[in-house]
Amino acid sequence: MQEFLRKIRWPDYVIVAVLITFFGYIWLSIEGTLNYKWRWELIPSYIVGWHSGREEYFANLLLQGLAATVRISIYSGILALILGTILGIARCSANLTIRMLARTYLEFLRNVPPVVVVFIFFFFLSQQLIDALNLERWARGIARQENNQIWTFFFGEMRRFPSLVSGVIVLALFESAFVGEIVRAGIQSIPKGQREAARSIGMSRMQELRYVVLPQAMKKVVPPLANQFISLIKDSSILSLISVQELTYKTVELVASSRMIFEAWITTAAFYFVVCFGLSRIFARLEKRSEKR
Amino acid sequence: MTQPSPMIEVTNLDKYYGTFHALKNIDLTVHQGEKVVICGPSGSGKSTLIRCFNGLEWHNSGRLVIDGIEVYKDAKEIRELRQEVGMVFQQFNLFPHLTVLENLMIGPMKVRKITKTQAEETARNYLDRVHIPEQADKYPAQLSGGQQQRVAIARSLCMETRIMLFDEPTSALDPEMINEVLDVMVELADTGMTMVVVTHEMGFARKVADTMVFMEAGQIVEISPPEQFFTNPSSERCRLFLNQILEH
Amino acid sequence: MTQPSPMIEVTNLDKYYGTFHALKNIDLTVHQGEKVVICGPSGSGKSTLIRCFNGLEWHNSGRLVIDGIEVYKDAKEIRELRQEVGMVFQQFNLFPHLTVLENLMIGPMKVRKITKTQAEETARNYLDRVHIPEQADKYPAQLSGGQQQRVAIARSLCMETRIMLFDEPTSALDPEMINEVLDVMVELADTGMTMVVVTHEMGFARKVADTMVFMEAGQIVEISPPEQFFTNPSSERCRLFLNQILEH
Amino acid sequence: MTDLGISRGKGQSLPKPPFYKRFFGSVFVSVAIYAIIVGLIAYGSYVGAQGMGYNWQWYRVPQFLYRNTEIGFEWGEIPIGLVATIKLSVISFLLATAIGLLVALLRLSGLVIGTAVAVGFLELIRNIPLLVLLYLFYYVLGPIFGFDRYTASILTLAVFHSALISEILRAGINAVPTGQWEAAKSIGMTPYQTYRYIILPQSVRFMLPPMTGEVVHLIKSSAIVSVIAVAELTTFGRNIISDTYMSFEIWFTIALVYLVVTLILSIGVSYLEKKYAVDQ
Amino acid sequence: QSATQELSSESVIETIKQDGVIRIGLSLFVPWSMRDKNGDLIGFELDVGRKLAEDMGVEVEFVPTAWDGIIPALVSGNFDVIISGMSVTAQRNLTINFTDPYAYSGLAILANKELTAGMAREDLNSSDVTFAARRGATPATVIAKAFPEANLLLFDEDGASTQEVLNGNAHATMASQPTPNREAGRNPETLVVLEGELFDPRGEAFGMRKGDPDAMNFFNNWIAQNWRSGWLEERHNYWFATEEWADQVAQ
Ligand SMILES: Nc1ncnc2c1ncn2[C@@H]1O[C@H](COP(=O)(O)OP(=O)(O)OP(=O)(O)O)[C@@H](O)[C@H]1O
Ligand SMILES: Nc1ncnc2c1ncn2[C@@H]1O[C@H](COP(=O)(O)OP(=O)(O)OP(=O)(O)O)[C@@H](O)[C@H]1O
Ligand SMILES: [Mg+2]
Ligand SMILES: [Mg+2]
């Protein structure tokens, strides 16, 4: 402590003063001019609530939303990984046509705002896909069954399954561009000498990729992929614009129903922060540990 | 010196990088069991030449015949060629994600499709030959440069190649480790392997070379037996170069 | 040899990187005009030692007196010290965004606050001394390694320092360029500059060194005049090392 | 020495690569195939949507680009929106750079609390979605500080990107090799002189390309402010769609406009990158 | 197959019968529809939707959707009908069809009790009175027309204008019912809804995809019936005029 205090220099005090003024002003204006009535006590019941009808505890709006966000992130993360790996390999392909196709897809996704991409994909692709596969009827069929707990665990409310699917598809398509770039960078970061060595012991291009390049690229690619996964969780909030029932959307609903604007948004921001920051800490620690080994 | 069958025949070979003329009208023959040492100033095309020998680079015109097979740019055939021609790089280029043993076994197993036990036996055999049998289970990063380069040599040997190419195998090594690699190469030369070595280690060249080649600016300036090369090189440029190298 | 005033006095110096003991109980005195060559295996602490001499690293205990002033960790003092002690790095470390001339002038102008014309005069003078007056307006990237290193030497000289430190000045150079740098260093030695040189170029050491220092594992194992050092080193480890280096 | 004729005895000359390989390998054919595939996809989706009963009305799109009225030539909503987007982006970018510089300097300052505050700020901003940040600024901070939706959007974008920009600035400074610091030190320069004459001139080269990239990024993220109906390109697009319900046509047009703008900038970035790589 | 048969087999009524479920699109808007403390949907629309489904003999499925995406979502088939307090406007009507209105709500004046004590509606039309309203919204134009003498402060948010009245910076604001009622209910000591006729009452109706006469006929008849029976009015009163449901929701 003594040590710590000794290290503090005068600009530190200035910073502290500025911060105190800033937050003090916020506090004063909420309490004074705005007349806002805080109702923090209601927030916990919107995370886990006591159902007055069913007489049991249940996951209320915010927790439902968080669960949906987690589900969507995991599923679209997996899908994006698959698509992105294909895309990344295609970007390094020897065939010009394949390279150009991959490049076109990628440039489109990277140069158009996510909001626009989400709307385009939603109206053009996922709705058509869901109709074509007749997912809605199928999902409703399951929702009507008695024992659908397992389905519900993995996919949430089955009646909303199509919206989950379109959310997952839209997000995965969107993120696959970034995953593709990471995979490509990983492949290209393998020194030329490695490929030459592989070739000079007679390996074919496939063998070279399979036994020499990809195993090494995978290792390099894991940390940026982990970061991309965190970005994906954050980007998933955009899905609220196409009414996918994830955390941000549920918060909008909560605000519309209860008018707890400040409390609800601060809580939601805190949820995202805890999830994303927690994950980034965990990933950093894992990375450090694997480095040591 | 009797002349056994030629292993590498280069006739009139030219090579461009874009518009840059990297190899100019190269003629060279390497016979079975012959040891050729190539030297010359930086950028003179030494690496480019031996990289042509196992198809890492493509010549633009002229003929290149390896072990009786003419080399064209065709993926499948060239792969077969590479199984005959081993290459040791300046930067070792071991596979960092595999142990030493796996580095040695992956080629024979995946390319030559021999069984794991057999591959392991060969691998251990060659590890013995390069004097590091005890390092089999380490990863390349855990070895010194000299040890890594010996593993790289063993990896090439495991493919049971008939020709070995070395591209400055000791120039990335600390002075203390150069010897251990050169020793292994001398031993290898004694087994009768056909070797083409790019190096500036003139002590080694004196010891093993049958033929010395001096390149400059993409051309072969001098081909001569080592006795003549070191005592009385025919070109002035070559003499200057040797002076530079041997002075310190 | 008479013993003029000592320029560098090291007594009982210890240095840690975290828990790693990098320099152990070093004692060394360098007199004015003396040329000291330090050698030893990789990681033995040679760089660490000479980096202490101009305050790029800090010793943890012991005394270090440069030109009569004891070195403490004090930003201002150390800056004055550095104006007396020049350093030439293995990687040259020229400023890539400045021309050669600007590289030489920026120190005198910004640190010594001399006028531009005067700085340019000094700079051209020293460029002459390192034999590349014609390169004044090029950027470092346009020069060969040997030329870059000579510019780096000139940059230090422009600060009119009284002591020059060299950390393996030739080991990043192609064999052909080593000589031109060593020649400049020999000329510099002849002017009577106090020099501490880390190098493995034993030819150079023989020519200029007044004292040879051999380090290992953070310790000075041997300090002796070159005649004795090369013919009859007192420690076994040193003899082995010399053999390794000189063999090829 | 050797008879070339004899060497043929053992190995026949290998055949050239087969015709189909050379055919598909050639640039012209590759580009042609590419064009065909892209064309097929475009045609397929056009016909597909029509088949589903979608009524393409591309002829109605130009009126949103420009109009020729009695008064004379007049820009349509889309160009006006684009200008608004660019204005929004430029203001946000300048503000973001200012905040980013402050944060980067705080982080490099070595101040105990300064560094902690900078890191805390970065982590907070980096781990909250932009959309949620926007809602926070608009719904929570807006009423407190009394700013309107436009200010809220600018602040959101500026704060969000300042985190990224401060990392670019910091990385640019750190990308200068340590050897440069040491060389500057060893000719006796002060830290300030080292920054001024040695480090910053070099780090600008590392910072410029990612900074331009950040402009592109900012233009893209500015679309999100359409959520709170700030007048800019995406908002105008959504307004047009809610008036005309030509969602396909308008979204494609909007996407194309963004694509053109960001591609032009991206090409600029790669030009900068190349230019500075050559200088190196 | 004749043309009429084909048309009726394509009607949304047919798919509803086939699937045994009617999908209703709505966007949350108190008290039309909202989430109660249990996270379940309640509100006027929910009552309407459930009764409609019950009368059709099918299940009901509510699809909450963001307001500005609700029409595209209907058109692209995400649900069968919009029941979301959507008022009939010409612009909207160009893209979708509307049934007959099933509810009427209009604008009401929300005033500060203290400032407007003893004032009648006509008294508000004076230069001493300040109105607050949302920029560009209907209330702003209606205020300007109905009270030309009064000052008008424009804000970007509905909430902001209410807040101004609450803080005593403005005498009154105008908003579509039932917002004023609810605000007054929440702050009974400061706010009051002025008595009198609603301004600019507009009808709210079901929205449907175009080209479906069967569904139109069905819904219109259903609305007419329930209007006549008084059921619609009774539910509307419950949600809009009373506060009986208030404790179900965190308001
Ligand atoms: N991929 C390439 N593209 C363009 N030019 C190249 C390429 N590889 C090599 N070169 C050029 O070809 C020339 C010969 O290069 P090469 O590597 O064969 O020289 P070297 O004799 O091996 O030199 P060193 O001793 O430095 O290894 C050099 O001038 C080099 O710049
Ligand atoms: N900044 C540092 N942090 C931790 N350890 C270091 C650092 N710098 C050097 N070392 C360690 O200190 C020891 C001595 O390093 P030093 O660079 O002085 O060796 P050297 O004799 O110059 O070797 P070389 O010939 O390779 O340059 C080495 O073991 C090295 O790993
Ligand atoms: Mg080479
Ligand atoms: Mg060193």
Side-chain angles (χ1 to χ4, degrees):
Chain A
M1 193 61 206
Q2 211 98 49
E3 176 77 355
F4 177 76
L5 285 179
R6 209 168 42 74
K7 277 193 197 147
I8 294 181
R9 282 183 281 156
W10 66 265
D12 283 320
Y13 292 110
V14 176
I15 295 166
V16 172
V18 168
L19 286 182
I20 289 177
T21 319
F22 181 75
F23 286 110
Y25 180 78
I26 292 183
W27 179 251
L28 279 183
S29 46
I30 293 177
E31 288 299 299
T33 37
L34 280 184
N35 256 324
Y36 189 80
K37 282 190 210 137
W38 291 102
R39 286 181 292 165
W40 278 110
E41 70 280 2
L42 287 178
I43 287 291
S45 72
Y46 279 104
I47 299 171
V48 175
W50 173 259
H51 199 292
S52 47
R54 276 181 279 140
E55 302 270 301
E56 61 182 12
Y57 282 104
F58 73 109
N60 209 335
L61 291 177
L62 290 176
L63 195 58
Q64 284 170 17
L66 185 64
T69 291
V70 170
R71 280 189 201 108
I72 290 173
S73 301
I74 291 174
Y75 300 144
S76 52
I78 294 169
L79 193 57
L81 187 64
I82 297 168
L83 293 174
T85 307
I86 296 171
L87 197 64
I89 293 175
R91 285 269 279 144
C92 303
S93 157
N95 185 306
L96 185 61
T97 308
I98 294 175
R99 273 206 316 274
M100 287 202 309
L101 284 174
R103 183 75 193 262
T104 309
Y105 177 76
L106 200 120
E107 291 295 341
F108 175 77
L109 283 174
R110 287 202 317 174
N111 286 300
V112 173
V115 179
V116 178
V117 172
V118 161
F119 277 113
I120 290 185
F121 275 162
F122 176 63
F123 286 119
F124 290 69
L125 273 177
S126 57
Q127 191 56 43
Q128 264 76 314
L129 206 66
I130 284 164
D131 284 351
L133 296 181
N134 219 343
L135 272 183
E136 247 195 275
R137 261 173 224 177
W138 176 81
R140 191 174 302 120
I142 288 175
R144 283 176 182 160
Q145 284 167 16
E146 289 289 299
N147 294 319
N148 57 7
Q149 283 95 342
I150 294 179
W151 292 96
T152 315
F153 177 77
F154 281 109
F155 304 113
E157 162 68 83
M158 278 312 281
R159 288 176 201 275
R160 292 279 73 81
F161 183 71
S163 116
L164 179 87
V165 170
S166 43
V168 167
I169 293 175
V170 168
L171 197 57
L173 287 173
F174 180 65
E175 298 290 331
S176 67
F178 298 89
V179 175
E181 279 306 89
I182 291 171
V183 171
R184 181 190 63 94
I187 290 176
Q188 288 180 348
S189 75
I190 304 306
K192 225 175 90 205
Q194 290 292 316
R195 286 162 167 265
E196 290 183 346
R199 251 178 272 164
S200 68
I201 57 173
M203 286 189 179
S204 67
R205 270 192 78 92
M206 270 317 288
Q207 285 175 325
E208 182 187 315
L209 205 63
R210 161 98 178 64
Y211 297 112
V212 177
V213 177
L214 282 185
Q216 294 183 54
M218 279 308 155
K219 242 189 221 152
K220 298 207 170 167
V221 146
V222 167
L225 278 185
N227 283 333
Q228 191 58 42
F229 182 67
I230 293 172
S231 295
L232 181 145
I233 295 177
K234 290 191 289 161
D235 292 340
S236 73
S237 71
I238 287 191
L239 297 178
S240 65
L241 301 184
I242 53 171
S243 311
V244 176
Q245 316 272 308
E246 46 67 79
L247 182 53
T248 306
Y249 188 84
K250 290 283 186 189
T251 310
V252 172
E253 281 197 350
L254 175 58
V255 169
S257 303
S258 71
R259 294 209 148 211
M260 295 192 289
I261 304 176
F262 290 11
E263 296 91 333
W265 283 117
I266 291 173
T267 308
T268 298
F271 272 179
Y272 278 111
F273 180 79
V274 167
V275 170
C276 296
F277 185 69
L279 276 180
S280 79
R281 291 293 91 184
I282 292 171
F283 288 151
R285 178 167 297 180
L286 289 181
E287 194 183 331
K288 222 178 243 157
R289 194 186 294 169
S290 71
E291 247 165 39
K292 263 190 213 141
R293 239 188 277 133
Chain B
M1 195 158 66
T2 60
Q3 297 264 325
S5 61
M7 290 295 280
I8 305 177
E9 275 184 276
V10 184
T11 337
N12 234 323
L13 186 127
D14 278 82
K15 159 84 190 159
Y16 291 82
Y17 285 116
T19 59
F20 176 73
H21 203 164
L23 293 177
K24 296 174 193 158
N25 199 12
I26 301 284
D27 284 299
L28 179 69
T29 308
V30 181
H31 296 277
Q32 178 152 9
E34 193 177 354
K35 279 77 179 139
V36 176
V37 170
I38 304 179
C39 61
S42 179
S44 57
K46 309 178 296 293
S47 302
T48 309
L49 180 61
I50 70 164
R51 286 160 62 85
C52 283
F53 292 171
N54 77 337
L56 286 177
E57 300 286 353
W58 301 101
H59 55 282
N60 298 86
S61 66
R63 268 171 64 88
L64 170 60
V65 181
I66 308 276
D67 200 11
I69 302 175
E70 184 164 358
V71 177
Y72 285 111
K73 183 170 178 173
D74 178 296
K76 188 140 175 298
E77 299 287 342
I78 205 70
R79 220 144 55 224
E80 275 159 28
L81 164 72
R82 285 197 189 116
Q83 300 178 24
E84 301 302 316
V85 186
M87 176 124 175
V88 175
F89 301 85
Q90 180 179 358
Q91 298 299 345
F92 328 142
N93 291 342
L94 293 179
F95 303 134
H97 60 300
L98 303 177
T99 63
V100 166
L101 206 59
E102 288 165 349
N103 260 284
L104 301 192
M105 287 160 59
I106 193 158
M109 277 167 60
K110 303 300 171 192
V111 178
R112 291 219 188 271
K113 314 272 184 210
I114 68 172
T115 65
K116 195 170 166 185
T117 25
Q118 232 182 319
E120 181 164 346
E121 199 187 308
T122 326
R124 291 203 184 271
N125 178 14
Y126 282 110
L127 267 190
D128 267 352
R129 290 267 292 275
V130 298
H131 310 302
I132 37 171
E134 71 287 359
Q135 311 288 3
D137 297 318
K138 290 197 183 165
Y139 283 89
Q142 297 167 308
L143 303 182
S144 76
Q147 293 171 328
Q148 289 192 40
Q149 192 61 298
R150 284 184 280 163
V151 173
I153 294 173
R155 179 174 65 182
S156 272
L157 292 174
C158 281
M159 293 301 292
E160 319 254 85
T161 53
R162 305 179 56 190
I163 307 172
M164 286 277 278
L165 310 173
F166 293 84
D167 190 358
E168 309 203 28
T170 58
S171 65
L173 298 177
D174 284 329
E176 292 189 274
M177 295 166 180
I178 293 179
N179 265 1
E180 54 187 54
V181 172
L182 291 181
D183 288 346
V184 165
M185 287 171 63
V186 171
E187 285 170 33
L188 184 61
D190 293 341
T191 64
M193 170 74 77
T194 312
M195 287 164 71
V196 180
V197 185
V198 174
T199 186
H200 289 129
E201 297 292 334
M202 288 305 148
F204 168 82
R206 275 209 182 94
K207 226 180 280 175
V208 305
D210 297 320
T211 311
M212 295 295 301
V213 173
F214 178 74
M215 292 187 68
E216 171 159 50
Q219 285 176 311
I220 293 186
V221 178
E222 171 134 11
I223 308 189
S224 52
E227 313 85 64
Q228 188 192 332
F229 186 83
F230 287 110
T231 52
N232 187 21
S234 56
S235 78
E236 177 61 10
R237 187 63 188 81
C238 181
R239 213 176 47 71
L240 267 174
F241 180 79
L242 283 175
N243 277 355
Q244 288 273 15
I245 290 226
L246 298 175
E247 186 166 317
H248 285 285
Chain C
M1 197 161 64
T2 60
Q3 295 267 319
S5 60
M7 289 296 279
I8 304 178
E9 273 184 278
V10 184
T11 338
N12 236 323
L13 187 127
D14 279 82
K15 159 85 190 158
Y16 292 83
Y17 286 116
T19 58
F20 177 71
H21 203 164
L23 292 179
K24 296 173 194 155
N25 199 12
I26 301 286
D27 284 299
L28 181 69
T29 308
V30 181
H31 296 277
Q32 177 155 11
E34 193 177 353
K35 280 78 181 138
V36 177
V37 169
I38 305 178
C39 61
S42 181
S44 56
K46 308 180 295 292
S47 302
T48 309
L49 180 60
I50 71 164
R51 287 159 61 85
C52 283
F53 292 171
N54 77 337
L56 287 177
E57 301 285 356
W58 301 100
H59 54 281
N60 298 86
S61 66
R63 265 169 69 87
L64 171 59
V65 180
I66 308 276
D67 200 12
I69 303 172
E70 181 161 0
V71 177
Y72 287 112
K73 187 168 179 174
D74 174 301
K76 191 136 175 300
E77 297 270 343
I78 206 70
R79 222 142 52 223
E80 274 158 29
L81 164 72
R82 283 195 191 119
Q83 300 178 23
E84 301 302 315
V85 187
M87 176 125 177
V88 175
F89 302 86
Q90 179 178 1
Q91 298 298 344
F92 328 143
N93 291 344
L94 293 180
F95 304 133
H97 59 301
L98 303 177
T99 64
V100 166
L101 205 58
E102 289 166 348
N103 261 283
L104 301 194
M105 287 159 58
I106 192 157
M109 275 167 61
K110 301 300 171 192
V111 178
R112 291 217 188 271
K113 313 272 185 209
I114 68 172
T115 65
K116 195 170 168 188
T117 26
Q118 231 183 320
E120 180 163 346
E121 199 187 305
T122 326
R124 292 206 184 269
N125 178 15
Y126 282 110
L127 268 189
D128 267 353
R129 289 266 293 274
V130 298
H131 310 303
I132 37 173
E134 71 285 358
Q135 311 288 4
D137 296 320
K138 290 197 182 163
Y139 282 90
Q142 297 168 307
L143 303 182
S144 76
Q147 292 170 328
Q148 288 193 40
Q149 194 59 300
R150 284 184 281 161
V151 174
I153 294 173
R155 180 174 64 182
S156 271
L157 292 175
C158 281
M159 294 299 293
E160 318 255 84
T161 52
R162 307 179 57 190
I163 307 171
M164 286 277 279
L165 311 173
F166 293 85
D167 190 358
E168 309 203 28
T170 57
S171 64
L173 298 177
D174 285 329
E176 290 189 277
M177 295 166 177
I178 293 178
N179 266 359
E180 53 187 53
V181 172
L182 292 181
D183 288 347
V184 166
M185 287 171 63
V186 171
E187 286 171 31
L188 186 60
D190 292 343
T191 64
M193 171 74 77
T194 312
M195 288 165 68
V196 181
V197 186
V198 175
T199 187
H200 289 132
E201 295 294 333
M202 289 305 149
F204 169 81
R206 276 210 182 93
K207 228 180 278 172
V208 306
D210 297 318
T211 312
M212 295 294 303
V213 174
F214 179 74
M215 290 187 69
E216 171 158 50
Q219 285 176 309
I220 292 187
V221 177
E222 171 134 12
I223 307 189
S224 51
E227 313 86 65
Q228 187 193 332
F229 186 83
F230 287 109
T231 51
N232 187 22
S234 57
S235 78
E236 178 61 11
R237 186 62 188 82
C238 182
R239 214 176 46 69
L240 269 174
F241 179 80
L242 284 175
N243 276 356
Q244 289 274 15
I245 290 224
L246 298 175
E247 188 166 316
H248 286 286
Chain D
M1 202 162 55
T2 346
D3 185 355
L4 290 178
I6 293 172
S7 72
R8 284 195 185 270
K10 187 178 175 195
Q12 276 298 317
S13 289
L14 296 174
K16 296 258 170 178
F19 173 75
Y20 76 90
K21 254 192 192 167
R22 274 183 288 150
F23 179 77
F24 286 106
S26 77
V27 173
F28 178 76
V29 175
S30 304
V31 175
I33 295 176
Y34 164 79
I36 291 173
I37 292 176
V38 171
L40 280 180
I41 292 173
Y43 182 74
S45 41
Y46 183 81
V47 172
Q50 219 160 18
M52 283 183 8
Y54 189 82
N55 193 6
W56 293 93
Q57 305 176 8
W58 280 106
Y59 61 90
R60 284 176 68 190
V61 171
Q63 57 165 317
F64 298 111
L65 295 175
Y66 61 88
R67 269 176 285 238
N68 276 314
T69 56
E70 300 91 75
I71 318 155
F73 183 84
E74 195 176 67
W75 288 109
E77 276 90 340
I78 290 177
I80 293 173
L82 178 61
V83 171
T85 285
I86 290 173
K87 191 174 146 212
L88 185 74
S89 307
V90 168
I91 298 175
S92 309
F93 183 74
L94 295 179
L95 198 57
T97 310
I99 303 174
L101 189 64
L102 192 73
V103 175
L105 289 179
L106 268 187
R107 261 201 96 171
L108 292 167
S109 66
L111 298 171
V112 189
I113 292 181
T115 314
V117 168
V119 172
F121 173 81
L122 287 179
E123 291 295 355
L124 191 68
I125 300 305
R126 227 188 283 161
N127 288 301
I128 294 180
L130 179 56
L131 184 59
V132 174
L133 206 62
L134 179 70
Y135 284 142
L136 278 180
F137 268 86
Y138 183 52
Y139 290 121
V140 178
L141 293 184
I144 293 174
F145 289 92
F147 42 68
D148 59 9
R149 60 184 74 224
Y150 196 71
T151 318
S153 339
I154 286 181
L155 285 178
T156 307
L157 292 172
V159 164
F160 185 77
H161 285 272
S162 72
L164 305 171
I165 286 175
S166 86
E167 288 297 88
I168 291 175
L169 299 180
R170 204 171 64 93
I173 289 170
N174 286 341
V176 179
T178 43
Q180 295 290 318
W181 285 93
E182 294 185 343
K185 268 192 206 166
S186 71
I187 57 171
M189 285 189 166
T190 62
Y192 170 75
Q193 285 175 328
T194 311
Y195 259 115
R196 167 77 184 73
Y197 299 110
I198 309 299
I199 304 302
L200 283 184
Q202 293 186 57
S203 55
V204 164
R205 202 184 55 227
F206 298 110
M207 296 188 295
L208 216 48
M211 282 294 263
T212 325
E214 205 49 38
V215 175
V216 175
H217 188 183
L218 202 150
I219 290 180
K220 286 191 294 160
S221 39
S222 74
I224 206 154
V225 307
S226 67
V227 170
I228 56 170
V230 168
E232 51 82 59
L233 186 53
T234 307
T235 311
F236 282 175
R238 290 170 76 170
N239 291 348
I240 298 173
I241 292 171
S242 67
D243 287 348
T244 63
Y245 299 96
M246 301 192 298
S247 40
F248 288 55
E249 293 91 333
I250 298 298
W251 278 129
F252 272 134
T253 312
I254 298 288
L256 193 71
V257 172
Y258 275 112
L259 201 61
V260 168
V261 173
T262 51
L263 274 183
I264 288 174
L265 280 169
S266 301
I267 291 168
V269 176
S270 56
Y271 169 77
L272 277 182
E273 260 164 8
K274 269 201 199 103
K275 187 172 162 217
Y276 282 105
V278 170
D279 276 7
Q280 169 66 336
Chain E
Q1 220 178 11
S2 72
T4 44
Q5 264 175 327
E6 203 175 307
L7 204 61
S8 67
S9 72
E10 273 174 10
S11 169
V12 74
I13 298 290
E14 284 307 309
T15 47
I16 291 172
K17 280 195 291 191
Q18 266 170 31
D19 293 350
V21 66
I22 179 169
R23 298 170 306 163
I24 298 173
L26 48 79
S27 189
L28 296 202
F29 198 66
V30 180
W32 297 92
S33 54
M34 57 204 154
R35 296 270 180 191
D36 68 3
K37 285 179 177 160
N38 294 333
D40 297 328
L41 286 166
I42 57 169
F44 179 56
E45 313 292 12
L46 285 300
D47 288 353
V48 172
R50 293 206 179 98
K51 177 118 195 314
L52 177 64
E54 192 188 317
D55 292 348
M56 289 176 90
V58 294
E59 278 178 45
V60 63
E61 204 175 297
F62 294 101
V63 185
T65 302
W67 179 247
D68 53 2
I70 202 164
I71 291 181
L74 171 76
V75 173
S76 68
N78 276 13
F79 36 76
D80 304 318
V81 57
I82 297 176
I83 306 184
S84 188
M86 185 179 269
S87 48
V88 183
T89 68
Q91 261 310 330
R92 286 183 188 138
N93 217 161
L94 286 177
T95 311
I96 56 177
N97 281 354
F98 284 109
T99 60
D100 296 337
Y102 65 105
Y104 292 92
S105 50
L107 303 172
I109 294 176
L110 179 67
N112 185 300
K113 226 178 200 167
E114 237 170 81
L115 292 181
T116 60
M119 284 191 182
R121 198 188 253 204
E122 305 77 52
D123 301 337
L124 291 177
N125 191 14
S126 111
S127 56
D128 297 336
V129 173
T130 308
F131 272 96
R134 186 167 149 202
R135 182 175 293 136
T138 327
T141 31
V142 174
I143 291 170
K145 226 180 350 183
F147 306 100
E149 293 291 310
N151 299 312
L152 182 55
L153 283 181
L154 289 177
F155 293 94
D156 265 324
E157 269 314 287
D158 262 342
S161 26
T162 313
Q163 200 71 46
E164 288 299 288
V165 178
L166 196 61
N167 293 351
N169 296 332
H171 288 75
T173 182
M174 186 183 275
S176 61
Q177 276 291 28
T179 310
N181 270 346
R182 236 182 31 261
E183 292 291 349
R186 285 173 65 187
N187 302 285
E189 62 279 10
T190 36
L191 296 182
V192 67
V193 179
L194 290 197
E195 298 289 318
E197 213 171 283
L198 294 178
F199 291 85
D200 192 25
R202 285 187 270 165
E204 282 84 25
F206 296 1
M208 289 173 311
R209 282 185 288 273
K210 281 192 171 290
D212 192 346
D214 285 13
M216 175 71 96
N217 180 262
F218 179 84
F219 290 139
N220 275 343
N221 289 333
W222 186 86
I223 290 168
Q225 242 166 37
N226 286 285
W227 193 253
R228 253 176 280 127
S229 74
W231 184 85
L232 275 172
E233 201 164 3
E234 184 263 317
R235 290 325 291 164
H236 191 267
N237 264 337
Y238 173 79
W239 289 106
F240 288 81
T242 76
E243 290 282 317
E244 283 166 42
W245 46 271
D247 60 337
Q248 293 180 45
V249 189
Q251 275 295 334

